[in-house]
Amino acid sequence: MKNNKSQNQEKVLLSEERETKKLAERYNVPYMDLSGLTLDRELIQSFPVDFLYRSNFIPLEGNGNVVKIAIADPSNIAVIDSIEAFLGKKVEVCAASERAIHEALRKSETALQVLKNATEGYVMQVVQDKEGRDQDEAISVEKLADQDGSIIKLMNSIIFTAVQKRASDIHIESREAAMIIKFRIDGILGEAMEPIAIKFQSPIISRIKVMSDLDIAERRVPQDGKFRLRIKDKTIDFRVSIMPSIYGEDAVIRILDKDMITEAISELKLSMLGFSDAVLEKVWRYIVKPYGMILVTGPTGSGKTTTLYAALTEIKSPEDKIVTIEDPVEYQIDGITQIPVNEKKGLTFARGLRSILRHDQDKIMVGEIRDPETAQIAIQSALTGHLVFTTVHANNVFDVIGRFLHMQVDPYSFISALNCILAQRLVRLLCPSCKQRVEYSEKELLESSLDPQTFKDTEFYEARGCPECNHKGYQGRTAISEFLELSDVIREMILERKPLSEVKKQAMKEGLEPLRNSGLEKVFQGLTSLRELNKVTFVE
């Protein structure tokens, strides 16, 4: 069932569409549904970006002396006249909702045009920032277009573009002769714009430091900070990491769109993450148990925290006290007590976890186990009647066992406390609008450890790229996983220090599906490509 917030959002969107249809009928113009419509990017980018957003319209097609547009308010004669004056042509008017127009503008990459204009019109200035921290600075397309060619404009344009393209991180890398700006979208890094001359490196990094309240004079040691901006009526948090390199300082800015995250988390269910039915059934069996430890493992950015939050969202109830300790708290969930680690003030995972145990809780989530002390307390918590959710960095379910044993925890306590281990990765999903069927050669199949005779008639798909997916060929990500249940036989084998290769054979006998096989299922279903799978899993 959808929650009230989601239902309210749907009502608002439906109401907006209904009002637009009424408006179209009143002014005798056609109503236009922009979803799935192929847009003329060149025509759109021939208009000033701030003009498009300010006037809430998008040009659809040009035919001789007439240009067809979709506008949110077909009664606004002044705007229609100004469009005709700009074009020197007649305008054929259709009505579309403001939300649909802004989404279409986002897909047509008007934000990139803002960034391009900001870079092309770039004039070096010494930035004397008297504003201090820009906690409440607001960015809009109109403001970007009105600013002069300053460092502030360039940084705001980069940030605005990254948010519009739904990037998770902005990377600013110094090279010998240039600065490279990259965005991480769906887990993949890509260059966002033309390289910037290296002489602008110092002012750009200084601007980031001013925004993050960091020491501008310190250039030899790493610094971490954060800032907050309002972009299109949304408050977005940014975490900053500054790192010295041989050519100056590099910066990584993590984008935390709390509104988008909170909305996603409120809707989050385990079934939405992409796990197979068999794995889902096993996960459910363990997250409803009264005590024990549930471990999720995988590299950074593999969706471990999202999985744990999906599990907590599924099982939370007013009857249970759920407490989490994290570094940092990225998602905020109603009904759960969340504690951020603060090592500067002495609040470590271990110290926080000790305090949690005196807080009369039922279920605990430990963001990450990094040291023997935290591991030992988490194990004791699981043994004394608490259900403990946690993550560990490891490559697969068997490496986790080695990680814990190397932390010098008591093997018997660890194995007694542990209920199950879930290893996961994220693979990108092929864009449904433009994916195309491909045929692989025998050599390519063999390199992917697939028998050419067995898979010669299998349908494989690859990415092509279209406006719907920003010409990347991929849209969104899904999880692939392997799930280890600790049966009595496997527990005994681990306690007897049997080689992990033997433990793995036994687990396979008991039904463990390897991570690679889980990914291949997604490939055979046409959800992702073999090339993408080979990037995130080993060919065995």
Side-chain angles (χ1 to χ4, degrees):
M1 279 183 63
K2 292 188 174 178
N3 61 23
N4 290 334
K5 183 178 177 183
S6 172
Q7 289 172 341
N8 290 338
Q9 286 171 339
E10 280 190 13
K11 284 177 185 174
V12 169
L13 295 177
L14 287 170
S15 172
E16 189 179 342
E17 296 295 338
R18 276 198 300 270
E19 288 302 315
T20 305
K21 286 177 181 175
K22 283 181 186 175
L23 210 58
E25 197 175 324
R26 187 185 311 156
Y27 291 99
N28 198 27
V29 297
Y31 168 78
M32 181 66 69
D33 181 1
L34 299 180
S35 59
L37 199 67
T38 303
L39 300 166
D40 186 336
R41 293 171 70 205
E42 285 187 16
L43 178 61
I44 293 168
Q45 293 181 2
S46 67
F47 285 82
V49 179
D50 59 316
F51 184 32
L52 293 168
Y53 277 90
R54 190 169 57 236
S55 304
N56 288 319
F57 83 97
I58 186 167
L60 301 175
E61 59 184 54
N63 186 8
N65 204 35
V66 178
V67 174
K68 188 176 181 180
I69 68 164
I71 191 166
D73 183 5
S75 67
N76 196 332
I77 304 299
V79 168
I80 294 168
D81 285 346
S82 65
I83 297 168
E84 287 186 336
F86 176 84
L87 288 168
K89 297 178 179 180
K90 284 286 181 188
V91 163
E92 182 186 326
V93 175
C94 299
S97 69
E98 186 176 327
R99 178 194 58 81
I101 288 169
H102 283 191
E103 181 64 15
L105 287 172
R106 186 189 70 76
K107 285 181 180 173
S108 66
E109 299 188 357
T110 48
L112 275 185
Q113 192 68 16
V114 170
L115 188 54
K116 187 179 176 185
N117 294 342
T119 312
E120 285 177 349
Y122 195 77
V123 178
M124 173 62 180
Q125 294 182 353
V126 178
V127 178
Q128 297 293 337
D129 196 302
K130 297 177 183 177
E131 301 170 48
R133 294 188 69 179
D134 295 302
Q135 286 287 345
D136 295 313
E137 183 176 336
I139 296 180
S140 66
V141 179
E142 293 86 350
K143 183 171 179 179
L144 293 179
D146 291 341
Q147 288 174 331
D148 61 4
S150 65
I151 294 289
I152 295 175
K153 176 183 177 181
L154 182 64
M155 273 313 304
N156 283 355
S157 299
I158 289 169
I159 291 168
F160 178 83
T161 308
V163 171
Q164 284 288 87
K165 293 178 75 63
R166 295 174 182 167
S168 61
D169 302 85
I170 303 167
H171 287 239
I172 299 170
E173 301 175 357
S174 302
R175 299 284 189 268
E176 187 173 7
M179 283 193 78
I180 310 297
I181 310 295
K182 297 178 179 177
F183 295 159
R184 187 179 294 280
I185 301 171
D186 285 340
I188 302 295
L189 267 179
E191 289 194 18
M193 56 191 286
E194 293 296 314
I196 297 173
I198 194 64
K199 65 180 179 177
F200 300 130
Q201 184 264 353
S202 182
I204 286 172
I205 296 295
S206 294
R207 171 61 184 165
I208 296 170
K209 288 179 179 178
V210 166
M211 296 170 80
S212 312
D213 202 21
L214 299 176
D215 185 355
I216 297 177
E218 181 55 76
R219 299 182 178 181
R220 292 165 295 180
V221 297
Q223 295 189 68
D224 295 321
K226 59 185 177 180
F227 61 93
R228 178 177 293 168
L229 294 173
R230 282 201 319 276
I231 300 177
K232 291 173 67 179
D233 300 324
K234 283 200 302 186
T235 299
I236 299 178
D237 290 326
F238 299 84
R239 286 210 317 270
V240 175
S241 173
I242 308 284
M243 185 73 68
S245 72
I246 57 172
Y247 297 119
E249 291 176 290
D250 288 5
V252 174
I253 303 172
R254 167 64 58 87
I255 301 169
L256 295 171
D257 187 343
K258 289 282 175 67
D259 291 346
M260 191 172 76
I261 289 170
T262 304
E263 184 182 324
I265 286 296
S266 67
E267 294 289 323
L268 194 60
K269 303 289 180 191
L270 282 167
S271 57
M272 295 164 57
L273 302 181
F275 297 125
S276 68
D277 291 342
V279 168
L280 271 178
E281 187 181 329
K282 291 173 184 176
V283 171
W284 260 107
R285 192 184 311 154
Y286 288 100
I287 66 173
V288 296
K289 282 187 177 292
Y291 57 85
M293 181 184 284
I294 296 170
L295 270 174
V296 182
T297 187
T300 303
S302 60
K304 300 186 296 295
T305 307
T306 304
T307 298
L308 288 185
Y309 267 113
L312 291 179
T313 304
E314 296 265 24
I315 62 172
K316 71 172 183 172
S317 78
E319 298 168 2
D320 285 332
K321 173 87 169 185
I322 301 177
V323 183
T324 77
I325 180 160
E326 305 160 67
D327 183 21
V329 175
E330 291 192 14
Y331 304 155
Q332 296 176 3
I333 299 184
D334 289 337
I336 293 179
T337 302
Q338 295 170 273
I339 303 167
V341 164
N342 190 338
E343 294 195 358
K344 288 180 183 176
K345 301 288 185 184
L347 179 55
T348 60
F349 273 114
R351 186 173 176 183
L353 192 49
R354 275 200 214 95
S355 298
I356 288 171
L357 293 177
R358 296 191 292 271
H359 209 67
D360 188 29
Q361 80 301 315
D362 300 289
K363 296 173 175 62
I364 304 168
M365 184 186 114
V366 184
E368 184 186 342
I369 289 182
R370 300 174 181 169
D371 56 82
E373 188 180 8
T374 308
Q376 196 62 57
I377 301 167
I379 290 165
Q380 289 304 317
S381 305
L383 289 172
T384 53
H386 304 99
L387 186 62
V388 179
F389 297 82
T390 188
T391 74
V392 177
H393 282 111
N395 287 323
N396 56 53
V397 292
F398 304 102
D399 287 351
V400 172
I401 297 164
R403 278 290 306 274
F404 267 85
L405 296 179
H406 283 127
M407 285 186 195
Q408 298 177 334
V409 298
D410 174 42
Y412 184 80
S413 298
F414 170 55
I415 296 305
S416 300
L418 188 59
N419 285 351
C420 60
I421 306 171
L422 173 70
Q424 69 176 70
R425 298 283 191 284
L426 293 177
V427 294
R428 290 182 296 168
L429 289 167
L430 289 165
C431 172
S433 300
C434 66
K435 68 180 182 181
Q436 59 185 0
R437 189 177 173 184
V438 293
E439 288 188 14
Y440 291 119
S441 65
E442 284 193 14
K443 183 185 175 188
E444 287 173 312
L445 289 172
L446 287 169
E447 285 173 351
S448 296
S449 196
L450 296 175
D451 176 33
Q453 293 304 313
T454 306
F455 295 100
K456 64 180 179 180
D457 296 323
T458 303
E459 291 187 2
F460 292 100
Y461 292 87
E462 283 286 355
R464 189 170 77 240
C466 69
E468 286 293 314
C469 57
N470 286 327
H471 300 274
K472 300 290 184 187
Y474 294 93
Q475 210 172 35
R477 292 186 288 177
T478 189
I480 59 172
S481 60
E482 63 183 12
F483 191 89
L484 177 66
E485 297 179 274
L486 272 83
S487 66
D488 291 341
V489 176
I490 288 176
R491 289 180 199 273
E492 286 168 12
M493 290 177 76
I494 295 169
L495 289 172
E496 290 169 9
R497 299 292 180 117
K498 296 279 188 186
L500 287 179
S501 58
E502 289 186 27
V503 178
K504 185 175 181 179
K505 284 178 186 172
Q506 178 60 32
M508 299 273 279
K509 279 184 194 174
E510 293 179 11
L512 177 133
E513 181 185 40
L515 195 65
R516 176 82 180 172
N517 289 12
S518 173
L520 284 171
E521 280 299 313
K522 296 279 195 294
V523 172
F524 298 149
Q525 290 166 17
L527 297 174
T528 191
S529 67
L530 199 54
R531 198 184 310 275
E532 173 69 8
L533 180 63
N534 289 342
K535 282 182 185 176
V536 296
T537 63
F538 282 113
V539 177
E540 296 180 2

